[in-house]
Amino acid sequence: MARNVAAEYSKGTLGEFLRLSPQDLERARAERRPKLDREALAAALREYHRDLGTLDANVEALLTRLSHPESRVVVTGQQAGLLTGPAYSVHKGAGAALLAQKLNTDDAPVVAVYWVASQDHDAEEVASATLLDLNETLHRLTLDVPAGVPVGRVAWRDEWTAEVLALLERFEAPAEHRAAVRARIERAISGNGSPHTGYADVFARLIHGLLAPAGLLVLDPMHPALARLMAPALARELEQPLTSSERIEAAAERLSTAGFTPQLRRPAGATNLFVEEQDGQRRLLKFDGQTFSTDTRAYTRTELQAQLGADPTRLTPAAGLRPAVQDALLPTLAFVVGPGEIAYGAQLKDVYPLHGLQQPLLWPRLSVTWLEPNVARLLRRLHATAAEVQADPEGVLGRALARERGAGAVAAGRLQALEAELEQLITDLAQLDPTLVGAAERTRRRTLPRVAHLQRQAASALARVAHLQRQAASALARAEDERSGQLTRLNKHLLPNGVPQEREMNFLTYLLKHGETPLRQLLALDAGFVGEVEIS
């Protein structure tokens, strides 16, 4: 089995691949960012927030902190999902805000920034939202977002507003909470009168509305003022278009040798740049040593440089370059990321020096599984955690029912006792056998294979017994579910659509049913929190 990059990183054992570990927070805080025009950055963000309709006294205060010559940033980001997408999109932003609060001082201000990944063109990733109402009806809304187009180019449509509001009408929840969430969504769509209402803008305004009070700024890299500040990094990449890919691929080989599975592969000729072409599609640029090309046409370096100068939003970084471009724009102290992004980061340490930078600290994101009161009570009755249910829902329920009904055949202890008894029997046989045969050496040669054979037979028998136990537990769980619906309830809350809760369930689910309480609880957590939170 391949080693897990995120798990090894948390232990601080990936120094060959990542410059800093989670234990190096104070070291990261003490480092100084190379020269950067923070006032220009703050001005660009001010222009973006003005266009977004979110420029207020709170944002101005954050921009003032960012303009400080010693300011640093805790940055996170996510694709612009429908209604904020899966809950972890909000959790990441909350974690960034909490970490920035922890690190902020008057002499070295720290500001949290949420990078709205508007350059991405994977419509399937951002087009859906899943919510669960008080009747435990699972609602999944999917909009017809065009494929292949950067989501930052997609205009919000009136029919999408109608679909969202219709979902809210169907959603069973207290009227006052539903009205409050509807108001949030309508503000995000209208933009407080802003003429700019794109798909990514609605996402950004919702994130802003939820997390700006905690000190978070949103940032859209496709806004012209911000894209202009990133253009120098993209211009540098055009000068050496294959070097970053070569370094990523070299890191992939080292990871493979060390027993990991690389997340990024860069085939021969692939750059880390995308170009948005005349038909609106975003396509990967390739380079053969002389000419750039996509699947549809060829470009000279001069043509791409001219395009970058005329409209820097049309040349965008691929996953292997985006963090470095992000950190060329921002005075990054820490980058709040999930496990998959940590695996990406393990291949990017040597990309940063190409842009005069060092890779920042990667901070594992805050992670929450929300327990509504009925689910929390059920888990206590089952003596189980949400994580155990997510790993084996039928097994958890079946074993709990077996305990209640005295069905000892399903108990784990019975299997452990059987295993211990078989092991002792094998040991006893091995000790007895030499006394029965005169020639010790011949006995040893005969005995060891027989003992090994017995061990294999025992292991096989135990595996069959364990399989039978799992089948029995599952049968109990399914029978109980038909009577009381417990398994169905657990799955809907903790494994909606078969996916762990925070990777599928929309955060607005909890505001719709419980008001602002879950948001207050989220923002009261520690920046590195990982676990379950019972909604109180």
Side-chain angles (χ1 to χ4, degrees):
M1 182 182 293
R3 297 169 69 191
N4 184 288
V5 172
E8 295 287 338
Y9 177 64
S10 295
K11 298 175 188 174
T13 57
L14 278 185
E16 179 186 352
F17 301 102
L18 287 154
R19 191 177 69 90
L20 300 172
S21 78
Q23 291 75 40
D24 292 324
L25 186 58
E26 287 304 316
R27 175 182 166 190
R29 186 181 190 177
E31 292 178 345
R32 288 294 171 261
R33 170 70 162 80
K35 184 175 174 59
L36 184 143
D37 191 341
R38 290 168 170 82
E39 290 189 358
L41 172 60
L45 277 165
R46 181 175 291 107
E47 186 176 337
Y48 165 59
H49 276 271
R50 183 181 295 116
D51 288 344
L52 194 63
T54 52
L55 186 62
D56 56 19
N58 184 51
V59 171
E60 285 287 6
L62 292 172
L63 293 174
T64 298
R65 282 164 53 185
L66 186 60
S67 299
H68 190 286
E70 295 298 322
S71 73
R72 303 294 298 280
V73 158
V74 174
V75 62
T76 193
Q78 191 59 36
Q79 293 165 296
L82 176 60
L83 302 179
T84 70
Y88 74 85
S89 298
V90 176
H91 299 165
K92 289 172 85 172
L98 292 166
L99 184 59
Q101 290 172 16
K102 177 180 178 179
L103 300 175
N104 181 61
T105 65
D106 290 340
D107 293 337
V110 180
V111 177
V113 171
Y114 198 110
W115 184 283
V116 179
S118 60
Q119 298 164 328
D120 271 15
H121 60 277
D122 189 344
E124 189 176 345
E125 287 286 325
V126 301
S128 299
T130 298
L131 301 96
L132 181 69
D133 70 14
L134 283 175
N135 287 337
E136 299 192 327
T137 299
L138 206 57
H139 300 265
R140 184 168 175 81
L141 177 62
T142 300
L143 304 182
D144 56 335
V145 179
V149 178
V151 71
R153 298 287 192 217
V154 177
W156 184 267
R157 303 176 190 167
D158 289 342
E159 58 264 33
W160 293 346
T161 301
E163 290 182 60
V164 169
L165 297 183
L167 183 151
L168 293 181
E169 286 300 313
R170 298 190 302 272
F171 194 93
E172 183 62 34
E176 66 274 21
H177 299 335
R178 193 168 58 181
V181 171
R182 176 173 177 144
R184 279 187 185 275
I185 293 170
E186 288 178 332
R187 284 195 301 272
I189 294 171
S190 69
N192 295 321
S194 168
H196 304 275
T197 301
Y199 199 88
D201 296 328
V202 173
F203 174 89
R205 291 176 189 135
L206 283 169
I207 292 291
H208 171 86
L210 292 166
L211 299 176
L216 185 83
L217 287 168
V218 290
L219 182 159
D220 185 337
M222 287 195 72
H223 187 274
L226 291 158
R228 283 193 295 273
L229 295 180
M230 290 184 287
L234 300 174
R236 283 192 296 272
E237 196 72 12
L238 283 174
E239 292 301 318
Q240 302 181 70
L242 296 180
T243 305
S244 61
S245 294
E246 290 165 356
R247 294 190 178 189
I248 289 168
E249 195 59 22
E253 293 301 322
R254 294 197 302 275
L255 280 167
S256 294
T257 300
F260 298 101
T261 300
Q263 295 295 297
L264 286 173
R265 301 310 302 238
R266 308 309 293 157
T271 74
N272 277 299
L273 293 168
F274 280 90
V275 62
E276 187 183 342
E277 300 194 292
Q278 293 301 317
D279 61 359
Q281 296 287 298
R282 183 175 181 247
R283 296 187 176 95
L284 182 69
L285 276 171
K286 300 170 187 173
F287 186 64
D288 65 6
Q290 294 185 326
T291 304
F292 292 87
S293 65
T294 66
D295 292 338
T296 62
R297 60 159 293 185
Y299 298 86
T300 66
R301 181 180 280 108
T302 301
E303 287 175 320
L304 292 171
Q305 289 169 333
Q307 188 174 110
L308 183 61
D311 183 359
T313 67
R314 290 182 60 195
L315 199 67
T316 53
L321 181 62
R322 194 195 69 76
V325 171
Q326 165 190 284
D327 298 332
L329 174 70
L330 302 172
T332 303
L333 186 162
F335 184 15
V336 176
V337 291
E341 293 162 306
I342 292 173
Y344 274 44
Q347 294 180 244
L348 304 184
K349 183 174 75 170
D350 294 336
V351 172
Y352 277 82
L354 299 174
H355 297 275
L357 300 169
Q358 296 186 97
Q359 187 177 41
L361 172 69
L362 302 187
W363 182 262
R365 69 169 173 84
L366 178 150
S367 177
V368 178
T369 298
W370 294 100
L371 303 183
E372 297 188 62
N374 59 340
V375 174
R377 287 193 297 271
L378 180 53
L379 288 175
R380 283 193 287 271
R381 181 193 148 197
L382 299 176
H383 303 287
T385 66
E388 288 169 339
V389 171
Q390 288 170 332
D392 182 16
E394 287 189 347
V396 165
L397 181 56
R399 288 189 293 272
L401 291 169
R403 285 194 301 271
E404 289 180 5
R405 299 176 187 182
V410 180
R414 289 290 297 276
L415 181 61
Q416 291 166 0
L418 178 59
E419 183 175 8
E421 196 171 328
L422 282 171
E423 285 180 355
Q424 186 60 50
L425 178 61
I426 291 167
T427 301
D428 292 345
L429 286 171
Q431 290 173 346
L432 285 171
D433 195 86
T435 68
L436 303 177
V437 182
E441 181 57 27
R442 289 198 310 277
T443 299
R444 186 188 67 81
R445 288 197 299 268
R446 288 198 301 268
T447 299
L448 290 180
R450 285 204 296 275
V451 170
H453 177 65
L454 284 169
Q455 287 175 324
R456 288 193 296 272
Q457 285 184 315
S460 177
L462 285 169
R464 289 195 295 273
V465 171
H467 177 66
L468 286 171
Q469 282 188 321
R470 288 192 296 270
Q471 285 184 314
S474 295
L476 272 174
R478 289 193 296 271
E480 177 63 19
D481 190 51
E482 289 177 6
R483 185 183 71 82
S484 65
Q486 291 182 28
L487 183 61
T488 297
R489 172 175 293 124
L490 288 171
N491 281 331
K492 282 185 176 180
H493 282 267
L494 302 177
L495 281 168
N497 298 320
V499 179
Q501 183 196 93
E502 72 170 344
R503 301 196 64 82
E504 177 72 12
M505 195 78 81
N506 185 278
F507 183 73
L508 298 184
T509 282
Y510 307 108
L511 302 191
L512 281 161
K513 290 188 279 187
H514 305 283
E516 296 294 297
T517 296
L519 182 59
R520 288 195 295 270
Q521 289 182 277
L522 176 64
L523 295 176
L525 297 173
D526 181 79
F529 179 87
V530 176
E532 303 166 8
V533 174
E534 183 174 346
I535 299 173
S536 57

